[in-house]
Amino acid sequence: MAWMAQDHPIFTESIRRIRMALGDTGLPPLQQQVLERLVHSSGDLSIGAGLAFSAGACEQGIVALRAGSLVLTDTEMAAAAVRPMAKRTLGVPVRCLLDYAPAQAPLGSTRTAAGMRAAWNELSVMTPAPVLLIGSAPTALEELLRLVAGGAPGPSLVIGMPVGFVGVAESKNNLADSDLTQIRLDGSRGGAGLVAATVNALLRASISVN
């Protein structure tokens, strides 16, 4: 791949070893690239067992990113991990939904859920719609699903990988039951690093895939 020629030799060797260890996954090339980045970021060769893609998710994500889609994250940590790759590739903007959140969590809710609601009220009218990364906040994912069920436009792509044990599996199951274009990591695993690795794989692919 052309973009590999500019990578650090340690990264290139890591990807080579990951491919050897994974063997023939049977995944299409874009899904394979996402899996490799997730393994590289997590150090977990078994992570692919929980990885799920809706039909054409990677391709639709790349189309949106090439058209200038905003990348919206649920944490500043995820945003910080995406910004360098965004700058190196397509120059797309990256925002965190906490920029829209109140200083204190509303009674019975969370700052991220409130931030999701406020952010989506403003950003859902964008064309293309934002690419949404949820790595830490299942309540934000549930809020998005409620908004879409109520008639709001959906994101161009949801990367749904909240980490943890409270509300996480339920939010992922609800995402799976939706019609949203999605890349999902089922179970309790997830996090800012993994959602960032996923969209970074798409950003890299976006400058090398015709």
Side-chain angles (χ1 to χ4, degrees):
M1 298 178 186
W3 47 263
M4 292 286 281
Q6 299 180 4
D7 286 321
H8 193 284
I10 293 176
F11 177 81
T12 303
E13 176 62 15
S14 295
I15 295 298
R16 187 190 70 82
R17 294 187 184 193
I18 288 167
R19 287 177 183 160
M20 288 183 62
L22 290 173
D24 183 8
T25 64
L27 291 173
L30 290 174
Q31 294 184 17
Q32 178 73 21
Q33 289 179 45
V34 169
L35 173 59
E36 290 168 1
R37 287 298 298 237
L38 289 174
V39 172
H40 182 260
S41 295
S42 66
D44 184 355
L45 287 165
S46 70
I47 200 166
L51 186 59
F53 302 83
S54 63
C58 293
E59 292 80 1
Q60 291 178 58
I62 287 175
V63 167
L65 291 167
R66 284 177 168 171
S69 178
L70 171 79
V71 176
L72 181 65
T73 72
D74 63 337
T75 63
E76 184 56 39
M77 184 181 299
V82 174
R83 286 190 182 109
M85 184 64 73
K87 184 177 180 179
R88 284 171 50 195
T89 54
L90 297 173
V92 296
V94 181
R95 297 288 303 273
C96 176
L97 62 82
L98 290 175
D99 295 340
Y100 301 83
Q104 299 294 326
L107 185 65
S109 185
T110 65
R111 288 187 68 226
T112 49
M116 181 77 258
R117 183 165 55 254
W120 209 245
N121 285 339
E122 177 179 326
L123 301 176
S124 64
V125 298
M126 298 178 71
T127 302
V131 171
L132 178 64
L133 279 58
I134 302 292
S136 301
T139 57
L141 181 54
E142 293 284 19
E143 183 63 27
L144 172 79
L145 294 170
R146 280 192 288 270
L147 291 169
V148 172
S156 292
L157 171 67
V158 180
I159 300 175
M161 303 180 180
V163 61
F165 298 93
V166 178
V168 166
E170 295 86 349
S171 70
K172 292 176 180 179
N173 289 339
N174 290 334
L175 176 60
D177 289 340
S178 77
D179 293 327
L180 295 178
T181 302
Q182 60 190 265
I183 302 174
R184 205 176 63 251
L185 186 62
D186 291 331
S188 60
R189 288 182 290 187
L194 296 186
V195 290
T198 302
V199 79
N200 283 345
L202 298 182
L203 285 166
R204 292 164 70 91
S206 70
I207 61 172
S208 62
V209 175
N210 294 324

